[in-house]
Amino acid sequence: RPSDPGPPFDLRAMLGGRCPVCGSAIAREEGEADWRCSGGLFCPAQRKQALIHFASRRAMDIEGLGEKLVEQLVDSDLVRTPADIYRLDLPTLAGLERMAEKSASNLLAAIEKSKQTTLARFIFSLGIRNVGETTAKDLARYFGSLELLLAADEATLMQVCDVGPVVAASLRLFLGEP
């Protein structure tokens, strides 16, 4: 290492305080090192990663919905939210690059199969910040239904095993989004 390393690296300044993909402001939570785009699903990069997580084996387990296909679906503006996955049809999928009718049909079957899942897997699939598989299971066990979870305030959320103020705030922030 040089004896005089110069000024510290400043990612925020280098990016002008904006996400390089969507232009939304970047923010860093107190005590954390990572700068994050504030654009949410508006940001194509975040949307792609959210959809890849949603379709992953440990989440909704949608076999065939991998990274390359998610990129095509987002880049062509066919999928903006996880719910849009369930609106895809055979002609749309078969028309995509490297997707024949058989592959499209198999993917649609996997999408249909994913509708029969547990509440815990669904909660985990949403990719809520600070909510992993174990917390998702605890939330599903405690509330028993999505409706009750959606209606819960932070105080009620903190009654769930291992849910503290940070997780409760993350849940309320995410669940409060339209």
CSV table of all heavy atoms in Angstrom, one decimal, residues 44-94:
chain,number,residue,atom,x,y,z
A,44,PRO,N,-34.8,-0.8,-12.7
A,44,PRO,CA,-34.7,-2.1,-13.4
A,44,PRO,C,-33.7,-3.1,-12.7
A,44,PRO,O,-34.0,-4.3,-12.7
A,44,PRO,CB,-34.3,-1.7,-14.8
A,44,PRO,CG,-34.7,-0.3,-15.0
A,44,PRO,CD,-34.6,0.3,-13.6
A,45,ALA,N,-32.6,-2.6,-12.2
A,45,ALA,CA,-31.6,-3.5,-11.6
A,45,ALA,C,-32.2,-4.2,-10.3
A,45,ALA,O,-32.1,-5.4,-10.1
A,45,ALA,CB,-30.4,-2.7,-11.2
A,46,GLN,N,-32.9,-3.4,-9.5
A,46,GLN,CA,-33.5,-3.9,-8.3
A,46,GLN,C,-34.7,-4.8,-8.7
A,46,GLN,O,-34.9,-5.9,-8.0
A,46,GLN,CB,-34.0,-2.8,-7.4
A,46,GLN,CG,-32.9,-2.1,-6.7
A,46,GLN,CD,-33.5,-1.2,-5.6
A,46,GLN,OE1,-34.1,-1.7,-4.7
A,46,GLN,NE2,-33.2,0.1,-5.7
A,47,ARG,N,-35.4,-4.5,-9.7
A,47,ARG,CA,-36.6,-5.3,-10.1
A,47,ARG,C,-36.1,-6.6,-10.6
A,47,ARG,O,-36.7,-7.7,-10.2
A,47,ARG,CB,-37.3,-4.6,-11.3
A,47,ARG,CG,-38.6,-5.2,-11.7
A,47,ARG,CD,-39.3,-4.4,-12.7
A,47,ARG,NE,-39.1,-3.0,-12.7
A,47,ARG,CZ,-38.9,-2.2,-13.7
A,47,ARG,NH1,-39.0,-2.7,-14.9
A,47,ARG,NH2,-38.7,-0.9,-13.6
A,48,LYS,N,-35.0,-6.7,-11.3
A,48,LYS,CA,-34.5,-8.0,-11.8
A,48,LYS,C,-34.0,-8.8,-10.6
A,48,LYS,O,-34.4,-10.0,-10.6
A,48,LYS,CB,-33.3,-7.7,-12.7
A,48,LYS,CG,-33.6,-7.2,-14.1
A,48,LYS,CD,-32.4,-6.8,-14.9
A,48,LYS,CE,-32.8,-6.2,-16.2
A,48,LYS,NZ,-31.7,-5.7,-17.0
A,49,GLN,N,-33.3,-8.3,-9.7
A,49,GLN,CA,-32.9,-9.1,-8.5
A,49,GLN,C,-34.1,-9.5,-7.7
A,49,GLN,O,-34.1,-10.6,-7.2
A,49,GLN,CB,-31.9,-8.3,-7.7
A,49,GLN,CG,-30.5,-8.0,-8.4
A,49,GLN,CD,-29.9,-9.3,-8.9
A,49,GLN,OE1,-29.8,-10.3,-8.1
A,49,GLN,NE2,-29.6,-9.4,-10.2
A,50,ALA,N,-35.1,-8.7,-7.5
A,50,ALA,CA,-36.3,-9.0,-6.7
A,50,ALA,C,-37.0,-10.2,-7.4
A,50,ALA,O,-37.5,-11.1,-6.7
A,50,ALA,CB,-37.2,-7.8,-6.6
A,51,LEU,N,-37.1,-10.2,-8.7
A,51,LEU,CA,-37.8,-11.2,-9.5
A,51,LEU,C,-37.0,-12.5,-9.4
A,51,LEU,O,-37.5,-13.6,-9.3
A,51,LEU,CB,-38.0,-10.8,-10.9
A,51,LEU,CG,-39.1,-9.7,-11.0
A,51,LEU,CD1,-39.1,-9.1,-12.4
A,51,LEU,CD2,-40.5,-10.2,-10.6
A,52,ILE,N,-35.6,-12.4,-9.5
A,52,ILE,CA,-34.8,-13.6,-9.4
A,52,ILE,C,-35.0,-14.3,-8.1
A,52,ILE,O,-35.1,-15.5,-7.9
A,52,ILE,CB,-33.3,-13.3,-9.7
A,52,ILE,CG1,-33.2,-13.0,-11.2
A,52,ILE,CG2,-32.4,-14.4,-9.3
A,52,ILE,CD1,-31.9,-12.3,-11.6
A,53,HIS,N,-35.0,-13.4,-7.0
A,53,HIS,CA,-35.2,-14.0,-5.7
A,53,HIS,C,-36.6,-14.6,-5.5
A,53,HIS,O,-36.7,-15.7,-5.0
A,53,HIS,CB,-35.0,-12.9,-4.6
A,53,HIS,CG,-35.4,-13.3,-3.2
A,53,HIS,ND1,-34.6,-14.1,-2.5
A,53,HIS,CD2,-36.5,-13.1,-2.5
A,53,HIS,CE1,-35.2,-14.3,-1.3
A,53,HIS,NE2,-36.3,-13.7,-1.3
A,54,PHE,N,-37.6,-13.9,-6.0
A,54,PHE,CA,-39.0,-14.4,-6.0
A,54,PHE,C,-39.1,-15.8,-6.6
A,54,PHE,O,-39.8,-16.6,-6.0
A,54,PHE,CB,-39.9,-13.4,-6.7
A,54,PHE,CG,-41.4,-13.7,-6.6
A,54,PHE,CD1,-42.1,-13.4,-5.5
A,54,PHE,CD2,-42.0,-14.4,-7.7
A,54,PHE,CE1,-43.5,-13.7,-5.5
A,54,PHE,CE2,-43.3,-14.7,-7.6
A,54,PHE,CZ,-44.1,-14.4,-6.5
A,55,ALA,N,-38.5,-16.0,-7.7
A,55,ALA,CA,-38.6,-17.2,-8.4
A,55,ALA,C,-37.6,-18.3,-7.9
A,55,ALA,O,-37.8,-19.5,-8.3
A,55,ALA,CB,-38.3,-17.0,-9.9
A,56,SER,N,-36.7,-18.0,-7.0
A,56,SER,CA,-35.7,-18.9,-6.6
A,56,SER,C,-36.3,-20.2,-5.9
A,56,SER,O,-37.4,-20.2,-5.4
A,56,SER,CB,-34.7,-18.2,-5.7
A,56,SER,OG,-35.3,-17.9,-4.4
A,57,ARG,N,-35.4,-21.2,-5.8
A,57,ARG,CA,-35.9,-22.5,-5.3
A,57,ARG,C,-36.4,-22.4,-3.9
A,57,ARG,O,-37.4,-23.0,-3.5
A,57,ARG,CB,-34.7,-23.5,-5.4
A,57,ARG,CG,-35.0,-24.9,-5.0
A,57,ARG,CD,-33.9,-25.8,-5.2
A,57,ARG,NE,-33.1,-25.6,-6.4
A,57,ARG,CZ,-33.4,-26.2,-7.6
A,57,ARG,NH1,-34.4,-27.1,-7.6
A,57,ARG,NH2,-32.7,-26.0,-8.6
A,58,ARG,N,-35.7,-21.6,-3.0
A,58,ARG,CA,-36.2,-21.5,-1.6
A,58,ARG,C,-37.3,-20.5,-1.4
A,58,ARG,O,-37.9,-20.4,-0.3
A,58,ARG,CB,-35.0,-21.0,-0.8
A,58,ARG,CG,-33.9,-22.1,-0.7
A,58,ARG,CD,-32.7,-21.8,0.0
A,58,ARG,NE,-32.7,-20.7,1.0
A,58,ARG,CZ,-31.7,-19.8,1.1
A,58,ARG,NH1,-30.6,-20.0,0.4
A,58,ARG,NH2,-31.8,-18.9,2.0
A,59,ALA,N,-37.7,-19.8,-2.5
A,59,ALA,CA,-38.9,-18.9,-2.4
A,59,ALA,C,-40.0,-19.5,-3.1
A,59,ALA,O,-40.6,-20.5,-2.7
A,59,ALA,CB,-38.5,-17.5,-3.0
A,60,MET,N,-40.5,-19.0,-4.3
A,60,MET,CA,-41.6,-19.6,-5.0
A,60,MET,C,-41.3,-20.8,-5.9
A,60,MET,O,-42.2,-21.4,-6.4
A,60,MET,CB,-42.3,-18.5,-5.8
A,60,MET,CG,-42.9,-17.4,-5.0
A,60,MET,SD,-44.1,-17.9,-3.8
A,60,MET,CE,-45.5,-18.2,-4.8
A,61,ASP,N,-40.0,-21.1,-6.1
A,61,ASP,CA,-39.6,-22.2,-6.8
A,61,ASP,C,-40.2,-22.4,-8.2
A,61,ASP,O,-40.8,-23.4,-8.5
A,61,ASP,CB,-39.8,-23.5,-6.0
A,61,ASP,CG,-39.1,-24.7,-6.5
A,61,ASP,OD1,-38.1,-24.5,-7.2
A,61,ASP,OD2,-39.5,-25.9,-6.2
A,62,ILE,N,-40.0,-21.3,-9.0
A,62,ILE,CA,-40.5,-21.3,-10.3
A,62,ILE,C,-39.4,-21.8,-11.3
A,62,ILE,O,-38.5,-21.0,-11.7
A,62,ILE,CB,-41.0,-19.9,-10.8
A,62,ILE,CG1,-42.1,-19.4,-9.8
A,62,ILE,CG2,-41.5,-20.0,-12.2
A,62,ILE,CD1,-42.6,-18.0,-10.0
A,63,GLU,N,-39.3,-23.1,-11.5
A,63,GLU,CA,-38.3,-23.7,-12.4
A,63,GLU,C,-38.4,-23.1,-13.8
A,63,GLU,O,-39.4,-23.0,-14.4
A,63,GLU,CB,-38.4,-25.2,-12.4
A,63,GLU,CG,-37.2,-25.9,-13.0
A,63,GLU,CD,-37.3,-27.4,-12.8
A,63,GLU,OE1,-37.9,-27.9,-11.9
A,63,GLU,OE2,-36.8,-28.1,-13.7
A,64,GLY,N,-37.2,-22.7,-14.3
A,64,GLY,CA,-37.2,-22.2,-15.6
A,64,GLY,C,-37.2,-20.6,-15.7
A,64,GLY,O,-36.9,-20.1,-16.8
A,65,LEU,N,-37.5,-20.0,-14.6
A,65,LEU,CA,-37.5,-18.5,-14.6
A,65,LEU,C,-36.1,-18.1,-14.0
A,65,LEU,O,-36.1,-17.7,-12.8
A,65,LEU,CB,-38.7,-18.0,-13.8
A,65,LEU,CG,-38.9,-16.5,-13.8
A,65,LEU,CD1,-39.0,-16.0,-15.3
A,65,LEU,CD2,-40.1,-16.1,-13.0
A,66,GLY,N,-35.1,-18.1,-14.8
A,66,GLY,CA,-33.8,-17.8,-14.3
A,66,GLY,C,-33.4,-16.4,-14.7
A,66,GLY,O,-34.2,-15.6,-15.2
A,67,GLU,N,-32.1,-16.1,-14.5
A,67,GLU,CA,-31.6,-14.7,-14.6
A,67,GLU,C,-31.7,-14.2,-16.1
A,67,GLU,O,-32.2,-13.1,-16.3
A,67,GLU,CB,-30.1,-14.7,-14.3
A,67,GLU,CG,-29.5,-13.4,-14.1
A,67,GLU,CD,-28.1,-13.4,-13.5
A,67,GLU,OE1,-27.8,-14.3,-12.6
A,67,GLU,OE2,-27.3,-12.6,-13.9
A,68,LYS,N,-31.4,-15.0,-17.1
A,68,LYS,CA,-31.5,-14.5,-18.5
A,68,LYS,C,-32.9,-14.2,-18.9
A,68,LYS,O,-33.2,-13.2,-19.5
A,68,LYS,CB,-30.9,-15.5,-19.4
A,68,LYS,CG,-29.4,-15.8,-19.2
A,68,LYS,CD,-28.6,-14.6,-19.7
A,68,LYS,CE,-27.1,-14.9,-19.6
A,68,LYS,NZ,-26.3,-13.7,-19.7
A,69,LEU,N,-33.8,-15.1,-18.5
A,69,LEU,CA,-35.2,-14.8,-18.8
A,69,LEU,C,-35.8,-13.6,-18.1
A,69,LEU,O,-36.5,-12.8,-18.7
A,69,LEU,CB,-36.1,-16.1,-18.5
A,69,LEU,CG,-37.5,-16.0,-19.0
A,69,LEU,CD1,-37.6,-15.7,-20.5
A,69,LEU,CD2,-38.2,-17.4,-18.7
A,70,VAL,N,-35.4,-13.5,-16.8
A,70,VAL,CA,-35.9,-12.3,-16.0
A,70,VAL,C,-35.4,-11.0,-16.7
A,70,VAL,O,-36.1,-10.1,-16.8
A,70,VAL,CB,-35.4,-12.4,-14.6
A,70,VAL,CG1,-35.6,-11.1,-13.9
A,70,VAL,CG2,-36.2,-13.5,-13.8
A,71,GLU,N,-34.1,-11.0,-17.2
A,71,GLU,CA,-33.6,-9.9,-17.8
A,71,GLU,C,-34.4,-9.5,-19.1
A,71,GLU,O,-34.7,-8.3,-19.3
A,71,GLU,CB,-32.1,-10.1,-18.3
A,71,GLU,CG,-31.1,-10.0,-17.1
A,71,GLU,CD,-29.7,-10.1,-17.6
A,71,GLU,OE1,-29.4,-9.8,-18.8
A,71,GLU,OE2,-28.9,-10.5,-16.7
A,72,GLN,N,-34.8,-10.5,-19.9
A,72,GLN,CA,-35.6,-10.3,-21.1
A,72,GLN,C,-37.0,-9.7,-20.7
A,72,GLN,O,-37.5,-8.8,-21.3
A,72,GLN,CB,-35.8,-11.6,-21.8
A,72,GLN,CG,-34.7,-12.0,-22.7
A,72,GLN,CD,-35.1,-13.1,-23.6
A,72,GLN,OE1,-35.9,-12.9,-24.6
A,72,GLN,NE2,-34.7,-14.4,-23.3
A,73,LEU,N,-37.6,-10.3,-19.7
A,73,LEU,CA,-38.9,-9.9,-19.3
A,73,LEU,C,-38.9,-8.5,-18.7
A,73,LEU,O,-39.8,-7.7,-19.0
A,73,LEU,CB,-39.5,-10.9,-18.2
A,73,LEU,CG,-39.8,-12.3,-18.7
A,73,LEU,CD1,-40.0,-13.2,-17.5
A,73,LEU,CD2,-41.0,-12.3,-19.7
A,74,VAL,N,-37.9,-8.1,-18.0
A,74,VAL,CA,-37.8,-6.7,-17.4
A,74,VAL,C,-37.4,-5.8,-18.5
A,74,VAL,O,-38.1,-4.7,-18.7
A,74,VAL,CB,-36.8,-6.7,-16.2
A,74,VAL,CG1,-36.6,-5.2,-15.8
A,74,VAL,CG2,-37.4,-7.4,-15.1
A,75,ASP,N,-36.4,-6.1,-19.3
A,75,ASP,CA,-36.0,-5.2,-20.4
A,75,ASP,C,-37.0,-4.9,-21.4
A,75,ASP,O,-37.1,-3.9,-22.0
A,75,ASP,CB,-34.7,-5.8,-21.1
A,75,ASP,CG,-33.5,-5.7,-20.2
A,75,ASP,OD1,-33.5,-5.0,-19.1
A,75,ASP,OD2,-32.5,-6.4,-20.5
A,76,SER,N,-37.9,-5.9,-21.7
A,76,SER,CA,-39.0,-5.7,-22.6
A,76,SER,C,-40.3,-5.2,-22.0
A,76,SER,O,-41.3,-5.1,-22.6
A,76,SER,CB,-39.3,-7.0,-23.4
A,76,SER,OG,-39.7,-8.0,-22.5
A,77,ASP,N,-40.2,-4.8,-20.7
A,77,ASP,CA,-41.2,-4.3,-19.9
A,77,ASP,C,-42.5,-5.1,-19.8
A,77,ASP,O,-43.6,-4.7,-19.7
A,77,ASP,CB,-41.6,-2.9,-20.4
A,77,ASP,CG,-42.2,-2.0,-19.3
A,77,ASP,OD1,-41.8,-2.1,-18.2
A,77,ASP,OD2,-43.0,-1.1,-19.6
A,78,LEU,N,-42.3,-6.5,-19.8
A,78,LEU,CA,-43.4,-7.4,-19.7
A,78,LEU,C,-43.7,-7.7,-18.2
A,78,LEU,O,-44.8,-8.1,-17.9
A,78,LEU,CB,-43.1,-8.7,-20.4
A,78,LEU,CG,-43.0,-8.6,-21.9
A,78,LEU,CD1,-42.4,-9.9,-22.5
A,78,LEU,CD2,-44.4,-8.4,-22.5
A,79,VAL,N,-42.7,-7.6,-17.4
A,79,VAL,CA,-42.8,-7.9,-16.0
A,79,VAL,C,-42.2,-6.7,-15.2
A,79,VAL,O,-41.1,-6.4,-15.3
A,79,VAL,CB,-42.1,-9.2,-15.6
A,79,VAL,CG1,-42.2,-9.4,-14.1
A,79,VAL,CG2,-42.8,-10.3,-16.3
A,80,ARG,N,-43.1,-6.1,-14.4
A,80,ARG,CA,-42.7,-5.0,-13.5
A,80,ARG,C,-42.7,-5.3,-12.0
A,80,ARG,O,-42.0,-4.8,-11.2
A,80,ARG,CB,-43.5,-3.7,-13.8
A,80,ARG,CG,-43.4,-3.2,-15.2
A,80,ARG,CD,-44.1,-1.9,-15.4
A,80,ARG,NE,-43.5,-0.8,-14.6
A,80,ARG,CZ,-42.4,-0.1,-14.9
A,80,ARG,NH1,-41.7,-0.5,-15.9
A,80,ARG,NH2,-42.0,0.9,-14.1
A,81,THR,N,-43.6,-6.3,-11.7
A,81,THR,CA,-43.7,-6.8,-10.3
A,81,THR,C,-43.9,-8.3,-10.3
A,81,THR,O,-44.2,-8.9,-11.4
A,81,THR,CB,-45.0,-6.2,-9.6
A,81,THR,OG1,-46.2,-6.8,-10.2
A,81,THR,CG2,-45.1,-4.7,-9.7
A,82,PRO,N,-43.6,-8.9,-9.2
A,82,PRO,CA,-43.8,-10.4,-9.2
A,82,PRO,C,-45.2,-10.8,-9.6
A,82,PRO,O,-45.4,-11.9,-10.2
A,82,PRO,CB,-43.6,-10.7,-7.7
A,82,PRO,CG,-42.6,-9.7,-7.2
A,82,PRO,CD,-43.1,-8.4,-7.9
A,83,ALA,N,-46.2,-10.0,-9.4
A,83,ALA,CA,-47.6,-10.4,-9.8
A,83,ALA,C,-47.7,-10.5,-11.3
A,83,ALA,O,-48.5,-11.3,-11.8
A,83,ALA,CB,-48.6,-9.3,-9.3
A,84,ASP,N,-46.9,-9.7,-12.0
A,84,ASP,CA,-46.9,-9.8,-13.5
A,84,ASP,C,-46.5,-11.1,-14.0
A,84,ASP,O,-46.9,-11.5,-15.1
A,84,ASP,CB,-46.1,-8.7,-14.1
A,84,ASP,CG,-46.6,-7.3,-13.8
A,84,ASP,OD1,-47.8,-7.1,-13.5
A,84,ASP,OD2,-45.7,-6.3,-13.9
A,85,ILE,N,-45.7,-11.9,-13.3
A,85,ILE,CA,-45.3,-13.2,-13.7
A,85,ILE,C,-46.6,-14.1,-13.9
A,85,ILE,O,-46.6,-14.9,-14.9
A,85,ILE,CB,-44.4,-13.9,-12.6
A,85,ILE,CG1,-43.1,-13.1,-12.6
A,85,ILE,CG2,-44.2,-15.4,-12.9
A,85,ILE,CD1,-42.2,-13.5,-11.4
A,86,TYR,N,-47.6,-13.9,-13.1
A,86,TYR,CA,-48.8,-14.7,-13.2
A,86,TYR,C,-49.7,-14.3,-14.3
A,86,TYR,O,-50.8,-14.9,-14.5
A,86,TYR,CB,-49.5,-14.7,-11.8
A,86,TYR,CG,-48.6,-15.4,-10.8
A,86,TYR,CD1,-47.7,-14.6,-10.0
A,86,TYR,CD2,-48.5,-16.8,-10.7
A,86,TYR,CE1,-46.8,-15.3,-9.1
A,86,TYR,CE2,-47.7,-17.4,-9.8
A,86,TYR,CZ,-46.8,-16.6,-9.0
A,86,TYR,OH,-46.0,-17.2,-8.1
A,87,ARG,N,-49.4,-13.2,-15.0
A,87,ARG,CA,-50.2,-12.8,-16.1
A,87,ARG,C,-49.6,-13.2,-17.5
A,87,ARG,O,-50.1,-12.9,-18.5
A,87,ARG,CB,-50.3,-11.2,-16.1
A,87,ARG,CG,-51.1,-10.8,-14.9
A,87,ARG,CD,-51.3,-9.2,-14.9
A,87,ARG,NE,-51.9,-8.8,-13.7
A,87,ARG,CZ,-51.2,-8.2,-12.7
A,87,ARG,NH1,-49.9,-8.1,-12.8
A,87,ARG,NH2,-51.9,-7.8,-11.6
A,88,LEU,N,-48.4,-13.8,-17.4
A,88,LEU,CA,-47.7,-14.2,-18.7
A,88,LEU,C,-48.5,-15.3,-19.4
A,88,LEU,O,-49.2,-16.1,-18.7
A,88,LEU,CB,-46.3,-14.7,-18.4
A,88,LEU,CG,-45.3,-13.6,-17.8
A,88,LEU,CD1,-44.0,-14.3,-17.4
A,88,LEU,CD2,-45.0,-12.6,-18.9
A,89,ASP,N,-48.4,-15.3,-20.7
A,89,ASP,CA,-49.2,-16.4,-21.5
A,89,ASP,C,-48.2,-17.0,-22.5
A,89,ASP,O,-47.1,-16.6,-22.7
A,89,ASP,CB,-50.4,-15.8,-22.2
A,89,ASP,CG,-50.1,-14.6,-23.1
A,89,ASP,OD1,-48.9,-14.5,-23.6
A,89,ASP,OD2,-51.0,-13.8,-23.4
A,90,LEU,N,-48.7,-18.1,-23.1
A,90,LEU,CA,-47.9,-18.9,-24.0
A,90,LEU,C,-47.3,-18.1,-25.2
A,90,LEU,O,-46.1,-18.1,-25.4
A,90,LEU,CB,-48.7,-20.1,-24.4
A,90,LEU,CG,-47.9,-21.1,-25.2
A,90,LEU,CD1,-46.8,-21.7,-24.4
A,90,LEU,CD2,-48.8,-22.2,-25.7
A,91,PRO,N,-48.2,-17.3,-25.9
A,91,PRO,CA,-47.7,-16.6,-27.0
A,91,PRO,C,-46.6,-15.6,-26.6
A,91,PRO,O,-45.6,-15.4,-27.3
A,91,PRO,CB,-48.9,-15.8,-27.6
A,91,PRO,CG,-50.1,-16.6,-27.1
A,91,PRO,CD,-49.6,-17.2,-25.8
A,92,THR,N,-46.7,-14.9,-25.5
A,92,THR,CA,-45.8,-13.9,-25.0
A,92,THR,C,-44.4,-14.6,-24.7
A,92,THR,O,-43.4,-14.1,-25.2
A,92,THR,CB,-46.3,-13.2,-23.8
A,92,THR,OG1,-47.5,-12.5,-24.1
A,92,THR,CG2,-45.3,-12.1,-23.3
A,93,LEU,N,-44.5,-15.7,-24.0
A,93,LEU,CA,-43.3,-16.4,-23.6
A,93,LEU,C,-42.6,-17.0,-24.8
A,93,LEU,O,-41.4,-17.0,-24.9
A,93,LEU,CB,-43.5,-17.4,-22.5
A,93,LEU,CG,-43.9,-16.9,-21.1
A,93,LEU,CD1,-44.3,-18.0,-20.2
A,93,LEU,CD2,-42.7,-16.1,-20.5
A,94,ALA,N,-43.4,-17.7,-25.6
A,94,ALA,CA,-42.8,-18.3,-26.8
A,94,ALA,C,-42.1,-17.4,-27.8
A,94,ALA,O,-41.3,-17.7,-28.5
A,94,ALA,CB,-43.9,-19.2,-27.5
